[in-house]
Amino acid sequence: MSLNIAKDSKKRVVIVGGGFGGLKLANKLKKSGFQVVLIDKNNYHQFPPLIYQVASAGMEPTSISFPFRKIFQHRKDFYFRMAEVRAVFPEKNMIQTSIGKAEYDYLVLAAGTTTNFFGNKHIEEEAMPMKNVSEAMGLRNALLANLERAVTCSNKQEQQELLNIVVVGGGATGVEVAGVLSEMKKFVLPNDYPDMPSSLMHIYLIEAGSRLLAGMSEDSSSHAEQFLREMGVNILLNKRVTDYRDHKVTLEDGSEIATRTFIWVSGVTGVSFGNMNTSVIGRGGRIKVDAFNRVEGTNNVFAIGDLCILSGDEDYPNGHPQLAQVAIQQGELLAKNLIRLEKGKEMKPFHYRNLGSMATVGRNRAVAEFSKVKMQGWFAWVMWLVVHLRSILGVRNKVVVLLNWVWNYFTYDQSMRMIVYARKAKEIRDREAIEATTHWGKDLMQEPQPAKQEPQPNSKEIV
């Protein structure tokens, strides 16, 4: 297999990951004179802030996803390839992907993060993560299937396990998931399952720290906690989950919670690549970069967004927050810096402009912080709606999401509660099995043979 992209006289920028940062970078490199290659394991951009609504059956995945090929239609000198990057070889200016190797002049790693299970392999196997659209769909199916089974279950203990939902992680995602599940309990269960008392459903939010939303102020944290408790969520602070066996979540103090819906949103770690020098991997699996987002010890390899950690910033000694705005600003600046490099100019260092942060708890309930302004309640919730609606790609998606929100607000109903298990075709399963067993370094261990003749001036090398 090969990427099948002609290598011409233009410098090639390979972007790994089509999240907020990678997408912004690719857009800003339009008409820059570079050949831009975007590589992502999915063929679509997803909008992570609203993934929890997909998981709770409040929104279809197509409403928060947008195909890369649609975004970059009719774009010259741009190529998209659906693949996974297996290894990076800076000394050869080359990467190995699941579909072959590719050379680059500039490499930008923007693959983001994945769920962090903190080395607990058993929890990793048992828990339900919610980091991407496919995981959110799996969680949605599990939630709905457990409710259906609970209605017909004659064993009271099993029924309670099916109706207990445990969410681990008190960050923005955990707060939002707990909030939307509480609303499902209040507005959906009485209508869809009238023969099963909604009071049997219990939602637990477990946080190892002393408060929720540790990345926000204590004032916002306390308001979020108050909102959730008013909504009936059982909040357990300073509690660390150590195991999950026999449908029981075990805490560090020895206590247990019976459940068959074990949701893990407790943290993230940077996506890893084979052959990366371990000395450049910092806290949380993030890649160490300098003020220009250049990977330490390299000249033409960069990392942006959640995947990188920039040291030396006095305001953020532990790295910038893993928020969309950081990735967007880094992607925009890096595009300008790459153009400056080609013109022989000096690059400009990155300085984060904090535009604020926010988290929604439920209907008419949210917390938001903008510089020195803090707000909570209805007005913060409206601000959250506006900001997220503006950030969604595509006019159709914006309209669909807006209409869906309006419908849900006035009818108190979410009409997408279908259990659908996608089955991959045999051809796809066989192909993935072959790719999974292919050694990522095999191609690169073989030195290329010298060409028998010089290529003609107008010929192109396929890499």
Side-chain angles (χ1 to χ4, degrees):
M1 289 183 291
S2 169
L3 270 69
N4 288 334
I5 301 174
K7 184 72 170 67
D8 54 22
S9 59
K10 295 181 179 179
K11 294 288 185 68
R12 175 184 287 179
V13 179
V14 174
I15 305 171
V16 180
F20 290 116
L23 202 62
K24 174 63 71 171
L25 173 62
N27 278 321
K28 289 298 180 179
L29 287 178
K30 184 178 181 180
K31 297 180 180 179
S32 62
F34 288 110
Q35 181 190 77
V36 179
V37 180
L38 176 62
I39 300 175
D40 196 288
K41 64 180 180 180
N42 300 308
N43 72 336
Y44 56 87
H45 168 80
Q46 56 190 358
F47 190 68
L50 293 182
I51 282 179
Y52 80 96
Q53 293 200 7
V54 174
S56 61
M59 193 175 291
E60 283 298 323
T62 53
S63 300
I64 64 166
S65 308
F66 208 78
F68 288 121
R69 294 190 181 277
K70 179 69 174 178
I71 298 172
F72 296 102
Q73 273 184 353
H74 313 301
R75 168 84 172 265
K76 293 183 178 180
D77 298 320
F78 175 87
Y79 301 87
F80 169 74
R81 293 295 183 264
M82 189 175 76
E84 289 189 60
V85 174
R86 303 282 174 78
V88 178
F89 295 85
E91 70 280 1
K92 297 190 178 191
N93 290 338
M94 187 178 293
I95 59 173
Q96 179 69 36
T97 76
S98 56
I99 59 174
K101 60 185 179 181
E103 295 179 350
Y104 61 82
D105 293 289
Y106 297 103
L107 174 65
V108 182
L109 303 174
T113 58
T114 187
T115 303
N116 190 356
F117 294 95
F118 303 98
N120 194 319
K121 294 296 182 182
H122 188 255
I123 286 182
E124 184 175 353
E125 293 174 358
E126 298 288 342
M128 301 178 196
M130 201 194 65
K131 193 70 178 66
N132 51 50
V133 170
S134 61
E135 291 175 348
M137 288 294 293
L139 177 54
R140 184 182 81 172
N141 286 335
L143 284 169
L144 298 177
N146 284 353
L147 290 177
E148 295 293 342
R149 183 172 177 82
V151 174
T152 59
C153 186
S154 58
N155 185 311
K156 293 300 181 182
Q157 179 180 343
E158 181 183 349
Q159 183 185 51
Q160 194 58 63
E161 291 173 355
L162 291 164
L163 294 174
N164 285 347
I165 301 175
V166 175
V167 183
V168 182
T173 303
V175 166
E176 289 167 350
V177 171
V180 77
L181 290 176
S182 175
E183 292 189 333
M184 179 184 287
K185 171 185 175 180
K186 182 177 181 180
F187 300 117
V188 174
L189 258 66
N191 295 320
D192 281 16
Y193 306 92
D195 50 341
M196 182 177 68
S198 59
S199 58
L200 293 177
M201 176 183 273
H202 299 288
I203 302 164
Y204 298 86
L205 178 59
I206 304 175
E207 166 57 34
S210 59
R211 63 185 181 94
L212 304 177
L213 300 176
M216 300 181 72
S217 68
E218 292 189 9
D219 185 51
S220 296
S221 173
S222 62
H223 276 97
E225 181 179 347
Q226 178 185 344
F227 289 148
L228 287 173
R229 291 192 186 278
E230 291 173 354
M231 295 166 70
V233 177
N234 301 293
I235 300 175
L236 304 179
L237 300 176
N238 297 305
K239 301 288 185 180
R240 190 180 302 275
V241 173
T242 58
D243 206 352
Y244 176 71
R245 295 181 187 275
D246 301 323
H247 308 300
K248 292 184 178 64
V249 174
T250 303
L251 304 181
E252 198 171 38
D253 60 9
S255 58
E256 296 179 335
I257 303 174
T259 182
R260 299 200 179 202
T261 309
F262 179 39
I263 304 172
W264 186 275
V265 288
S266 184
V268 294
T269 185
V271 171
S272 61
F273 303 98
N275 206 53
M276 286 289 290
N277 191 331
T278 56
S279 65
V280 303
I281 306 300
R283 181 185 181 194
R286 301 165 75 178
I287 299 174
K288 299 177 184 178
V289 298
D290 61 18
F292 311 105
N293 282 97
R294 183 169 46 199
V295 177
E296 292 183 358
T298 67
N299 295 319
N300 59 346
V301 181
F302 300 82
I304 60 176
D306 294 354
L307 183 58
C308 76
I309 180 167
L310 192 155
S311 59
D313 192 325
E314 295 180 357
D315 294 329
Y316 302 94
N318 295 320
H320 294 96
Q322 292 170 294
L323 300 174
Q325 271 301 319
V326 176
I328 291 171
Q329 292 177 29
Q330 288 180 341
E332 185 172 5
L333 178 62
L334 182 55
K336 296 176 181 178
N337 278 337
L338 291 178
I339 295 172
R340 288 191 183 96
L341 277 176
E342 287 304 296
K343 294 180 178 180
K345 298 180 180 179
E346 291 186 359
M347 294 190 294
K348 292 185 177 180
F350 175 73
H351 296 290
Y352 174 49
R353 302 185 305 279
N354 189 348
L355 301 182
S357 57
M358 54 181 63
T360 180
V361 182
R363 176 188 299 265
N364 299 329
R365 295 181 176 96
V367 291
E369 299 178 357
F370 305 99
S371 186
K372 297 181 180 180
V373 178
K374 297 180 179 64
M375 60 185 72
Q376 56 279 327
W378 181 84
F379 193 69
W381 180 71
V382 171
M383 291 292 295
W384 183 93
L385 294 177
V386 172
V387 169
H388 286 75
L389 189 64
R390 289 187 61 222
S391 303
I392 295 174
L393 291 181
V395 175
R396 173 195 169 278
N397 285 7
K398 292 179 190 292
V399 173
V400 169
V401 171
L402 177 60
L403 292 177
N404 188 56
W405 282 345
V406 172
W407 176 265
N408 291 344
Y409 186 79
F410 288 105
T411 65
Y412 292 83
D413 186 36
Q414 299 168 337
S415 56
M416 303 172 189
R417 296 182 293 278
M418 296 177 292
I419 303 172
V420 180
Y421 296 102
R423 183 178 185 274
K424 292 183 179 179
K426 184 177 183 300
E427 169 66 22
I428 303 299
R429 298 199 305 270
D430 291 345
R431 183 189 310 157
E432 290 179 345
I434 293 173
E435 290 177 356
T437 56
T438 302
H439 191 270
W440 55 258
K442 185 176 180 181
D443 293 345
L444 297 177
M445 295 302 106
Q446 300 174 355
E447 292 296 330
Q449 298 298 318
K452 294 183 179 180
Q453 61 180 26
E454 292 294 324
Q456 298 299 315
N458 293 328
S459 67
K460 294 181 179 180
E461 178 190 357
I462 302 297
V463 178

